[in-house]
Amino acid sequence: MEDIMRGPEEVVGVLRLGGFLGLSRSELVKRLVQLPDDGSGREVRLFTPAVIDFTMWLTEGPLDQLNVSSLPDQVDVMGEIAATPGQAYGIHPFVPFCPWRQVRDEANASSRSRGMTPLDVVKYAVQEQGFVGVKLYPVLGFYPSGNAARWKNEPFPASLRGLDADGTKLDRALAELYDWCLAEDVAIMAHTSESQNPTPEAGRRGSPAFWKEMLDHDNGRWQSIRLNLGHLGGVWHLGKSGPPTSWPSHAVGLLSRGYPNVYADLADYDAIAHRTQRDTDQDAQIMPIVRDLLARQTNAGAVDRLMYGTDWVMLSRSLAAKDFYRAMRDKLPEQLNMTSMQRRGFLGGHAARFLGIAVADGQKPKTRLRLEEFYRKRDLDPSRLALWDSPPPTA
């Protein structure tokens, strides 16, 4: 909590975040859409909120005794929000996948929600409920690949140690997900930062180096998968001491080295809004480092894989949240020496390519076709999707 609660403003922000967690999904989406208080948020035409599944890691008692909504029910709720008529913007979420839950449900059919394993829920969300991708959170319980080789040295809570699971089963569950995402051209958003982790050991699983392992696994079996390295390895670590300071450099390298669909977002980088002097000083230290990383010859093209992101509702803990979009739109591109075309890409064009909703080489990717079918079934205005009929800008 030390990094979160740095002073009175941060304490207020954490309390506000706690209050938001009790709101309905539709209300949280409404707050996100209304974030910029000057109305500039109307420029945003697509929101992709990520549903998360921390249950297997945080729960000590029997899961069937928890009074929480099942994952299929949560998918249905977000599907209805995605199908709300009359909106000028699209709401197309990411569905969570927990390999621990997958291992449990494969072994015990009675533990499944509505008869579905987590992978079944992923397929249902993407194919029928307007979801555009999958959210993975490695710092809570697994590596992107290679769990079998690291199994014996990993500290796990009692609720997980009691499962009939091992690293081989986790790897198999993840491989099944990756194979399906690759075959169906479905995007993955990965938490790639040493943050929101229960222990320092767990936090290390967020390193971009482990995603490189996954991309290179089995002679590059998943090299062309659509992958977002969320938080660019945690840009807020730059300028500090310890291993995570190298993670943004590793992440930038992955954007430019032979992986055609690897991108990264700068979500939750609230220092950009300069709400306090501490934020201003931190931003003045961090952005020149990021700019220099992007300018290196070895990282050519990486800037064309950067994406705007918010990490709502975690961003709500910052009192700078209302200024975040404006700062990302007006300030950050200038700090990183982006061209006007790169700025447009950062603010949406790159995300349209990453998600697979933009027309590419005259063809509509599978995600775009799935969304068109979702709009047809739900009688939604297809002009939302027509925004990406022209290829997004590239440098």
Side-chain angles (χ1 to χ4, degrees):
M1 296 293 286
E2 181 180 352
D3 286 340
I4 294 179
M5 300 179 68
R6 299 174 301 203
E9 282 204 353
E10 285 75 12
V11 173
V12 172
V14 170
L15 292 174
R16 182 172 64 171
L17 169 62
F20 279 3
L21 295 180
L23 298 178
S24 67
R25 298 296 174 89
S26 59
E27 181 61 28
L28 289 174
V29 169
K30 185 185 303 182
R31 300 289 183 99
L32 171 61
V33 172
Q34 296 173 346
L35 259 188
D37 56 2
D38 65 350
S40 61
R42 288 192 292 271
E43 299 171 7
V44 181
R45 288 293 176 263
L46 178 65
F47 296 90
T48 58
V51 183
I52 52 177
D53 180 12
F54 291 172
T55 307
M56 298 296 292
W57 186 270
L58 297 179
T59 303
E60 289 295 336
L63 295 180
D64 57 4
Q65 294 181 13
L66 292 177
N67 185 24
V68 296
S69 301
S70 70
L71 286 179
D73 287 350
Q74 293 183 53
V75 165
D76 285 345
V77 168
M78 293 306 296
E80 291 304 310
I81 292 173
T84 302
Q87 297 176 147
Y89 47 83
I91 302 288
H92 295 293
F94 280 74
V95 60
F97 179 83
C98 172
W100 283 97
R101 192 189 288 270
Q102 180 71 20
V103 169
R104 183 201 67 170
D105 288 1
E106 284 181 343
N108 183 6
S110 66
S111 66
R112 302 173 187 175
S113 298
R114 285 166 39 184
M116 290 190 276
T117 68
L119 185 56
D120 294 331
V121 174
V122 166
K123 295 176 180 180
Y124 169 64
V126 170
Q127 294 172 335
E128 299 185 38
Q129 293 289 31
F131 283 61
V132 291
V134 182
K135 173 71 173 184
L136 289 177
Y137 223 92
V139 298
L140 285 174
F142 59 93
Y143 291 89
S145 63
N147 288 279
R150 301 180 175 98
W151 182 258
K152 292 182 180 179
N153 297 321
E154 288 298 309
F156 295 115
S159 59
L160 298 187
R161 289 197 301 269
L163 292 176
D164 180 21
D166 56 36
T168 301
K169 292 179 180 179
L170 287 182
D171 287 337
R172 184 171 63 241
L174 288 164
E176 290 175 357
L177 173 74
Y178 300 151
D179 285 341
W180 184 80
C181 287
L182 189 61
E184 296 302 322
D185 206 20
V186 175
I188 293 174
M189 179 196 299
H191 180 87
T192 316
S193 168
E194 190 184 42
S195 58
Q196 315 307 328
N197 46 290
T199 66
E201 294 81 10
R204 286 195 284 271
R205 302 187 194 108
S207 171
F210 296 125
W211 283 105
K212 185 177 189 305
E213 276 188 19
M214 173 268 193
L215 291 165
D216 294 340
H217 175 77
D218 196 12
N219 297 315
R221 173 176 168 183
W222 299 307
Q223 274 194 353
S224 60
I225 204 165
R226 295 183 184 272
L227 175 65
N228 171 21
L229 303 172
H231 311 298
L232 193 67
V235 291
W236 43 79
H237 295 309
L238 292 171
K240 298 181 181 179
S241 60
T245 59
S246 65
W247 290 9
S249 177
H250 291 164
V252 169
L254 291 178
L255 304 186
S256 57
R257 294 177 190 162
Y259 307 108
N261 295 311
V262 175
Y263 289 73
D265 68 49
L266 287 169
D268 205 22
Y269 178 59
D270 60 339
I272 189 67
H274 294 189
R275 173 81 180 187
T276 66
Q277 186 60 48
R278 187 183 190 280
D279 288 341
T280 302
D281 294 343
Q282 184 182 29
D283 188 48
Q285 181 181 28
I286 289 173
M287 280 297 105
I289 300 175
V290 177
R291 182 180 64 239
D292 291 345
L293 286 174
L294 295 171
R296 291 179 186 174
Q297 186 65 34
T298 54
N299 293 331
V303 70
D304 298 313
R305 304 281 187 85
L306 284 183
M307 302 182 292
Y308 165 77
T310 61
D311 199 14
W312 185 258
V313 295
M314 289 305 298
L315 182 66
S316 69
R317 76 184 189 281
S318 170
L319 300 187
K322 66 183 181 64
D323 304 314
F324 185 78
Y325 172 69
R326 286 193 300 269
M328 281 285 189
R329 180 194 64 188
D330 301 334
K331 195 179 299 180
L332 185 138
E334 181 178 348
Q335 290 176 317
L336 297 184
N337 291 338
M338 290 182 181
T339 65
S340 59
M341 192 171 293
Q342 288 168 340
R343 176 179 177 270
R344 287 174 57 206
F346 171 70
L347 292 174
H350 300 165
R353 282 207 312 270
F354 161 67
L355 294 169
I357 61 175
V359 173
D361 299 324
Q363 301 294 318
K364 293 179 180 179
K366 288 184 178 181
T367 294
R368 172 65 180 268
L369 294 174
R370 281 190 292 265
L371 289 183
E372 288 184 352
E373 179 64 11
F374 178 75
Y375 278 41
R376 187 190 66 79
K377 288 182 177 179
R378 298 300 189 103
D379 197 25
L380 299 174
D381 181 2
S383 66
R384 291 185 197 167
L385 299 175
L387 290 170
W388 295 284
D389 281 349
S390 299
T394 56

